[in-house]
């Protein structure tokens, strides 16, 4: 894959696995995130660079696209992976009523508007280049909302809708836009101290390892019986970004361990 790619939120979890996979496939990669990580530093080199940015800054997504053009000469692939809990926020949250307007704004800034701004910057570059591929990382809860994390679910539902709309407008100009909707993935969102595993352990009177190994998979009726591995999502992202998916656009691909039950 002799392409130039941008991966947002690429210092850990799904984004890190995606950056590693795209680089292994031959793409030159710009990773955008607030901070790097030891794992990302190990990948850095002439074909992979890190740009430290706060993607909730309205100017940051365009700066990332411009950096890819400056360093590698263009942009062919955009993976809008940044998302999850905004800085300083612990998820899950269990009710709608305590959420303030500020909570909603923070959630949408991080999970939707960062992608909107990145697409706005990337699409003209891709069109001028003759085409490209955008993969937006949404969530299975965009299709199957519940009482937890209602603001996050709503932001991801908007992300899924965005992908469909952009595909409709820009596929005739050679820009494919697809969405990947993961279920629960064993990432730092779950495993960090104070993360989802600890929050759920306190709520269910369990411990963090039991939550990740048994409680959460059972509560979410994951038919595979386990949380996902980030690489399993990254592999689908890489496929949708590649020429092997040349006729796939406007799709929303679930990678969720059987969480979503609807037809």
């Amino acid at each position: 894959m002799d392409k130039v790619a941008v991966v947002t939120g690429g210092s850990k979890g799904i984004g890190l696995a995606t950056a590693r996979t795209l680089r292994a496939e031959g793409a030159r990669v710009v990773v955008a995130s607030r901070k790097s990580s030891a794992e990302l530093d190990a990948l850095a080199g002439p074909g992979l660079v890190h740009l430290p940015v706060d993607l909730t800054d309205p100017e940051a997504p365009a700066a990332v696209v411009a950096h890819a053009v400056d360093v590698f000469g263009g942009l062919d692939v955009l993976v809008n992976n940044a998302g999850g809990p905004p800085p300083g926020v612990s998820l899950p949250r269990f009710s709608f009523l305590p959420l303030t307007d500020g909570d909603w704004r923070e959630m949408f800034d991080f999970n939707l508007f960062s992608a909107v701004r990145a697409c706005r910057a990337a699409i003209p570059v891709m069109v001028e280049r003759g085409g490209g591929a955008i993969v937006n990382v949404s969530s299975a809860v965009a299709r199957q909302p519940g009482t937890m994390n209602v603001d996050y679910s709503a932001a991801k539902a908007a992300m899924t809708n965005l992908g469909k709309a952009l595909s409709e407008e820009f596929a005739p100009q050679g820009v494919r836009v697809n969405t990947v909707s993961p279920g629960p993935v064993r990432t730092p969102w779950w495993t960090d101290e104070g993360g989802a595993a600890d929050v759920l352990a306190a709520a269910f009177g369990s411990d963090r390892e039991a939550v990740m190994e048994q409680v959460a998979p059972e509560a979410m009726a994951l038919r595979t019986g386990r949380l996902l591995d980030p690489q399993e999502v990254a592999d689908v992202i890489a496929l949708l970004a590649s020429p092997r998916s040349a006729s796939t656009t406007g799709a929303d691909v679930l990678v969720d361990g059987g969480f979503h039950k609807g037809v």
Side-chain angles (χ1 to χ4, degrees):
M1 184 193 294
D2 183 21
K3 304 292 184 182
V4 178
V6 161
V7 180
T8 68
S11 64
K12 55 189 177 182
I14 295 170
L16 176 66
T18 300
R20 182 187 295 117
T21 302
L22 292 176
R23 183 71 194 109
E25 293 290 331
R28 289 161 289 163
V29 183
V30 174
V31 174
S33 62
R34 285 180 179 80
K35 298 183 292 185
S36 188
S37 63
E39 296 85 355
L40 181 58
D41 289 343
L43 298 176
L48 187 147
V49 298
H50 174 247
L51 185 64
V53 292
D54 177 359
L55 288 160
T56 62
D57 175 352
E59 306 301 320
V64 176
V65 171
H67 192 67
V69 173
D70 289 344
V71 174
F72 294 129
L75 180 63
D76 304 291
V77 174
L78 169 64
V79 180
N80 282 310
N81 168 73
V89 173
S90 294
L91 296 181
R93 297 188 286 208
F94 295 94
S95 177
F96 163 76
L97 290 176
L99 296 172
T100 66
D101 283 1
D103 293 327
W104 280 89
R105 278 192 294 269
E106 284 184 341
M107 189 64 72
F108 271 68
D109 266 344
F110 192 32
N111 285 276
L112 177 65
F113 291 130
S114 64
V116 168
R117 292 161 182 151
C119 290
R120 186 189 296 140
I123 288 171
V125 177
M126 291 179 174
V127 170
E128 184 177 357
R129 201 166 164 86
I134 297 173
V135 183
N136 293 328
V137 180
S138 182
S139 170
V141 298
R143 296 196 201 181
Q144 190 162 305
T147 58
M148 290 195 296
N149 304 328
V150 62
D151 51 343
Y152 173 76
S153 299
K156 289 303 191 181
M159 174 79 105
T160 302
N161 186 287
L162 174 70
K164 296 278 189 180
L166 293 181
S167 174
E168 185 70 14
E169 180 172 0
F170 294 106
Q173 299 175 63
V175 179
R176 298 183 299 105
V177 186
N178 291 291
T179 303
V180 174
S181 293
V185 184
R186 196 175 182 116
T187 65
W189 177 359
W190 282 81
T191 60
D192 278 354
E193 186 174 351
D198 286 338
V199 173
L200 290 170
F204 288 114
S206 184
D207 63 79
R208 63 193 335 267
E209 281 304 316
V211 164
M212 288 187 283
E213 295 295 332
Q214 182 176 3
V215 175
E218 289 182 357
M220 300 181 75
L222 303 184
R223 303 317 300 155
T224 56
R226 60 174 177 82
L227 302 186
L228 282 72
D229 185 274
Q231 188 62 50
E232 295 169 328
V233 183
D235 288 339
V236 176
I237 293 171
L239 177 62
L240 290 172
S242 80
R244 293 188 177 188
S245 297
S247 290
T248 302
T249 191
D252 177 21
V253 181
L254 286 163
V255 187
D256 67 352
F259 167 71
H260 188 264
K261 313 301 181 187
V263 175

